[in-house]
Amino acid sequence: MKDGFIKVAACTPEIQVADVDFNVDKTISQLEKCREEGVKVAVFPELCITGYTCQDLFFQNALLDKAMEGVVKIAKTTADSDMLVAVGVPVRANGKLYNCAAVIQDGEVRAFVPKTHLPNYNEFYEARHFAPYRGECAAIDLREYGQLEFIPPMEQTVFVCEEIPELVVGFELCEDLWVADPVSNYLAKAGATLICNLSASDEVIGKDSYRRQLVSNQSARLVAGYIYCSAGDGESTQDMVFSGHNIIAENGSILAESRLFENGITISEIDFKKLAFERRKISTYPASAEWDYSSKDSGFLDKDNISRERFSLEMGETALTRKFAKTPFIPSNQAERNERCHLILQMQSHGLMKRIAHTHSKTVVIGISGGLDSTLALLVCVMAMDLLKRPHTDIVAVTMPCFGTTKRTRSNAEILCDALGVTFREVDISKAVLQHFEDIGHDYNDHSVVFENGQARERTKVLMNIANQVSGMVVGTGDLSELALGWATYNGDHMSMYGVNASIPKTLVRHIVQYYGDTCTSDTLRDVLYDILDTPVSPELLPTDESGTEMTQKTEDLVGPYELHDFFLYYGIRWGFEPSKVKRLAKYAFEGDYPDEVIDKWLKTFYRRFFSQQFKRSCLPDGAKIGSVTLSPRGDWRMPSDAVAKLWLEDIDK
């Protein structure tokens, strides 16, 4: 449970219809496996104690009595476990029969949560046997079945964890999710962050896809974890087939899913601190106390009919089994990745198109270095001009070689511009920079920050003045990762008139350029893009070797691997994780790639630079938001430039 992770399970045991003893034994067997795996919340299918397909056998007292005995037997096996368990069982109350989730913990049945919406269409006839829940309550006396200490209520209940206040568990049953106004809506309004669905959803063609979307969408809408557990092998196949389709979701993401027609246990870990962070951040997600439960829309599901019970969990570290992508900004699926890259290019180019049209710019001016960022920005400029139906020659691409420019990057810059048909200009800034060094009394052999930044600022001056010369606007090339680290020269490459890459992390820049190369029709353009992709990332501000071919400066040697920094950016800034939690996830995701001490080193570098370089982000040029993370001071990120990083740096060593 450290860092907010709770291990949960959806369990589909083999059953035999109406054979309670068999079903109870199989349930207990799976509970033992869950306990061995460290599961804290385990959910079983709807009516799994008897079987969902008992039909008119549900009218038989012998079956109902045996089911209650079975539930109590299961409860007693949990006496030495803090696991919260839900199993499906028919319950007699108020002269009616209800389809319920029996909620079990610490050796006792704690509550029976009844089903609200009963399907009575097509293959379903639940209203023949069960009564729908309409807010009525009852006390279920289990003393004759062996539970002596506690009389559980039958009512809609959420369970609040004492040790982890972010964990609030609510229950709905099958159809309660499929209706227009799901019960889980009201459970979330009552504070539930984890919805457990006990289901018996039969399988028909295409239903698994719809079911997956339904669970994913509901977990996203509620900003909640969702455990969907369905009946499987053993249910009657007289008229239906059940596949045991189990799904665990978190805020729209499917964390784990069972294969159809395979009974078993599906396990993952849900991050409840992450969910709590997102709910706090979304201003339209009010606190549960702010909802008007007495409104007509909520009907009988009002604040008086959703009770709150407390439960305890023993604290400890949850072993992680879910995957954390090394590159969280990049889809792992090739088709999805290509679609994402295409969409990003469209967003970037349409944003730039609007700015060009609005400013009546006759040209756009861009510094082209032969590196990835300027390459992507140039491709976006080309697409924007295509949208405006203007010639590529309205793009003025300027290469500005100096002391650190290699023959490879200089050549690639020219080949790229020629292949795209843009106006190409070369301005060697060496003499101007040397003159500037002489003016301010700086020794050429002193390769300090003055040596580097003098070149960067000279390049920006050249671009701005050329833009004035050709009635154009300067397009910035810096990316999101560089903004996070402050890896830009203030009033140098930090400045432009519109930044098209400002919301694109470095790891994603590479894939977008790769996608463009893979899909373009020109062999020359494709070849030069691939060579640019193979070129190390470098600002090329320190002198090359005598041949002019070898780089003496590589960015990732200086600030650290961008795949690590983008990982830190995603989890540390987008999700607000504590640095110690970010470190834990990084070591888990990059195990075998980086030693622990290397991750610690660059994580400290990330936070130290992120705080100290905020002043550069406070005055960024305009640039459209593309992804879920952006550092624009006018958009998602507002931070004082003099904030202190001490708390975050100390947490890394905690």
Side-chain angles (χ1 to χ4, degrees):
M1 287 163 299
K2 178 184 177 184
D3 300 319
F5 291 108
I6 304 294
K7 194 177 292 291
V8 302
C11 309
T12 299
E14 178 189 358
I15 70 157
Q16 293 181 0
V17 178
D19 189 345
V20 173
D21 286 337
F22 180 89
N23 301 340
V24 167
D25 288 344
K26 293 296 183 180
T27 299
I28 292 173
S29 176
Q30 287 197 340
L31 280 177
E32 289 298 324
K33 292 179 181 178
C34 286
R35 186 181 306 179
E36 292 171 3
E37 295 293 331
V39 170
K40 295 299 181 181
V41 180
V43 183
F44 287 78
E46 181 180 16
L47 295 169
C48 63
I49 300 303
T50 57
Y52 176 79
T53 48
C54 285
Q55 299 188 56
D56 285 359
L57 292 178
F58 283 125
F59 293 131
Q60 296 289 312
N61 283 329
L63 180 67
L64 301 178
D65 286 337
K66 190 66 175 177
M68 282 300 179
E69 290 179 11
V71 169
V72 172
K73 181 178 179 180
I74 293 170
K76 288 182 176 180
T77 66
T78 69
D80 58 347
S81 170
D82 62 351
M83 192 184 340
L84 191 70
V85 179
V87 299
V89 64
V91 176
R92 289 165 292 187
N94 302 324
K96 299 291 185 180
L97 185 64
Y98 295 87
N99 181 348
C100 290
V103 183
I104 295 167
Q105 193 198 35
D106 197 23
E108 292 183 326
V109 180
R110 297 285 306 277
F112 291 98
V113 178
K115 187 173 184 177
T116 298
H117 301 283
L118 303 181
N120 218 51
Y121 55 87
N122 296 339
E123 64 267 42
F124 300 106
Y125 290 93
E126 284 189 37
R128 177 181 176 91
H129 310 107
F130 299 102
Y133 177 64
R134 289 294 179 265
E136 62 273 28
C137 298
I140 309 301
D141 193 343
L142 297 179
R143 285 177 292 183
E144 64 178 294
Y145 304 110
Q147 179 163 310
L148 304 177
E149 300 298 326
F150 182 77
I151 298 178
M154 186 201 75
E155 59 185 347
Q156 186 54 262
T157 306
V158 294
F159 287 79
V160 183
C161 181
E162 292 184 344
E163 292 77 14
I164 307 173
E166 297 92 349
L167 175 59
V168 182
V169 187
F171 300 89
E172 62 183 357
L173 288 88
C174 201
E175 189 77 4
D176 289 344
L177 168 64
W178 297 70
V179 297
D181 189 16
V183 169
S184 47
N185 289 354
Y186 299 95
L187 297 174
K189 293 175 184 180
T193 55
L194 174 61
I195 306 298
C196 302
N197 189 311
L198 294 76
S199 179
S201 179
D202 65 323
E203 206 58 58
V204 295
I205 296 296
K207 193 174 182 180
D208 62 322
S209 178
Y210 181 78
R211 188 187 296 118
R212 185 182 304 109
Q213 293 175 12
L214 190 66
V215 172
S216 173
N217 290 342
Q218 186 68 351
S219 71
R221 185 178 296 109
L222 301 181
V223 191
Y226 204 105
I227 308 173
Y228 186 93
C229 183
S230 191
D233 185 34
E235 290 287 357
S236 172
T237 58
Q238 178 176 320
D239 293 298
M240 294 180 285
V241 173
F242 296 84
S243 66
H245 191 190
N246 294 340
I247 305 167
I248 299 174
E250 176 190 275
N251 194 21
S253 299
I254 302 298
L255 301 182
E257 182 177 6
S258 66
R259 297 180 62 177
L260 299 185
F261 301 105
E262 290 187 6
N263 290 355
I265 304 173
T266 303
I267 294 176
S268 191
E269 301 82 41
I270 296 176
D271 187 347
F272 289 95
K273 285 192 174 182
K274 179 181 178 182
L275 295 172
F277 168 84
E278 190 72 350
R279 286 188 177 186
R280 290 194 304 270
K281 187 177 180 182
I282 299 174
S283 61
T284 52
Y285 205 116
S288 57
E290 296 177 4
W291 290 90
D292 180 10
Y293 290 98
S294 62
S295 67
K296 293 182 180 179
D297 291 341
S298 62
F300 60 85
L301 283 172
D302 58 35
K303 61 182 179 181
D304 296 323
N305 283 321
I306 301 181
S307 64
R308 297 172 71 85
E309 296 289 338
R310 295 193 172 276
F311 73 104
S312 293
L313 292 177
E314 182 180 345
M315 297 298 291
E317 182 166 329
T318 301
L320 298 176
T321 61
R322 61 185 283 188
K323 294 182 179 180
F324 293 88
K326 298 176 184 177
T327 52
F329 291 104
I330 303 167
S332 58
N333 178 271
Q334 179 69 49
E336 186 181 350
R337 186 162 62 246
N338 288 345
E339 184 179 350
R340 176 79 56 86
C341 291
H342 177 76
L343 175 60
I344 290 170
L345 285 167
Q346 293 293 316
M347 295 172 70
Q348 289 177 284
S349 57
H350 277 78
L352 180 58
M353 175 191 69
K354 163 70 183 212
R355 182 52 57 98
I356 294 170
H358 177 73
T359 57
H360 305 288
S361 296
K362 292 183 180 180
T363 64
V364 293
V365 178
I366 181 172
I368 188 75
S369 66
L372 274 175
D373 288 343
S374 64
T375 296
L376 175 57
L378 181 59
L379 296 175
V380 171
C381 290
V382 168
M383 293 178 66
M385 287 302 180
D386 288 343
L387 291 170
L388 291 165
K389 295 181 171 52
R390 289 172 54 174
H392 294 179
T393 51
D394 284 355
I395 302 168
V396 180
V398 186
T399 184
M400 294 164 281
C402 199
F403 315 126
T405 304
T406 60
K407 294 178 180 179
R408 179 182 186 181
T409 55
R410 167 62 183 80
S411 174
N412 280 342
E414 187 169 2
I415 294 170
L416 178 66
C417 292
D418 182 63
L420 292 170
V422 305
T423 300
F424 179 73
R425 291 180 62 172
E426 178 176 331
V427 178
D428 191 319
I429 65 170
S430 302
K431 290 182 180 179
V433 174
L434 287 172
Q435 180 62 54
H436 179 62
F437 288 166
E438 181 180 339
D439 292 342
I440 66 173
H442 181 77
D443 184 354
Y444 171 83
N445 294 310
D446 177 3
H447 295 165
S448 63
V449 68
V450 176
F451 184 90
E452 297 187 47
N453 287 351
Q455 298 171 71
R457 292 193 176 102
E458 180 64 28
R459 286 184 171 123
T460 299
K461 182 179 74 173
V462 169
L463 292 175
M464 292 290 182
N465 290 337
I466 288 178
N468 292 156
Q469 188 181 61
V470 297
S471 300
M473 59 179 288
V474 177
V475 174
T477 62
D479 63 52
L480 178 66
S481 306
E482 291 177 342
L483 291 176
L485 294 168
W487 191 248
T489 299
Y490 191 82
N491 203 35
D493 52 316
H494 156 260
M495 191 48 59
S496 68
M497 297 171 183
Y498 194 77
V500 294
N501 292 340
S503 191
I504 315 295
K506 182 77 77 177
T507 50
L508 186 52
V509 168
R510 177 172 296 278
H511 284 275
I512 299 172
V513 173
Q514 176 80 50
Y515 166 76
Y516 199 103
D518 291 344
T519 55
C520 71
T521 57
S522 165
D523 291 340
T524 301
L525 179 57
R526 182 184 305 108
D527 289 344
V528 72
L529 290 177
Y530 287 170
D531 194 64
I532 289 170
L533 285 164
D534 289 337
T535 304
V537 177
S538 172
E540 294 193 324
L541 294 173
L542 295 181
T544 65
D545 63 353
E546 292 183 1
S547 68
T549 58
E550 291 296 326
M551 288 181 180
T552 57
Q553 187 181 31
K554 296 179 181 179
T555 298
E556 291 182 294
D557 291 343
L558 302 171
V559 296
Y562 274 116
E563 64 177 349
L564 282 180
H565 286 305
D566 284 356
F567 188 92
F568 302 154
L569 175 65
Y570 182 79
Y571 288 107
I573 304 305
R574 166 62 182 92
W575 289 109
F577 288 178
E578 303 92 328
S580 56
K581 182 174 180 178
V582 176
K583 179 172 73 171
R584 178 189 179 190
L585 297 186
K587 291 179 177 179
Y588 178 70
F590 291 97
E591 185 177 7
D593 295 335
Y594 298 101
D596 290 357
E597 60 271 17
V598 171
I599 291 175
D600 285 358
K601 171 187 174 181
W602 295 125
L603 183 58
K604 289 178 180 177
T605 296
F606 174 83
Y607 279 104
R608 186 165 53 247
R609 292 191 65 95
F610 189 84
F611 274 78
S612 68
Q613 301 295 298
Q614 172 62 25
F615 73 99
K616 295 178 182 177
R617 299 188 291 268
S618 294
C619 55
L620 284 180
D622 291 357
K625 177 178 178 178
I626 300 297
S628 62
V629 184
T630 180
L631 297 175
S632 167
R634 299 168 298 277
D636 290 38
W637 191 254
R638 295 165 178 82
M639 172 181 169
S641 299
D642 47 8
V644 178
K646 179 183 176 183
L647 178 64
W648 286 260
L649 294 173
E650 287 177 347
D651 189 69
I652 295 173
D653 295 323
K654 185 172 65 175

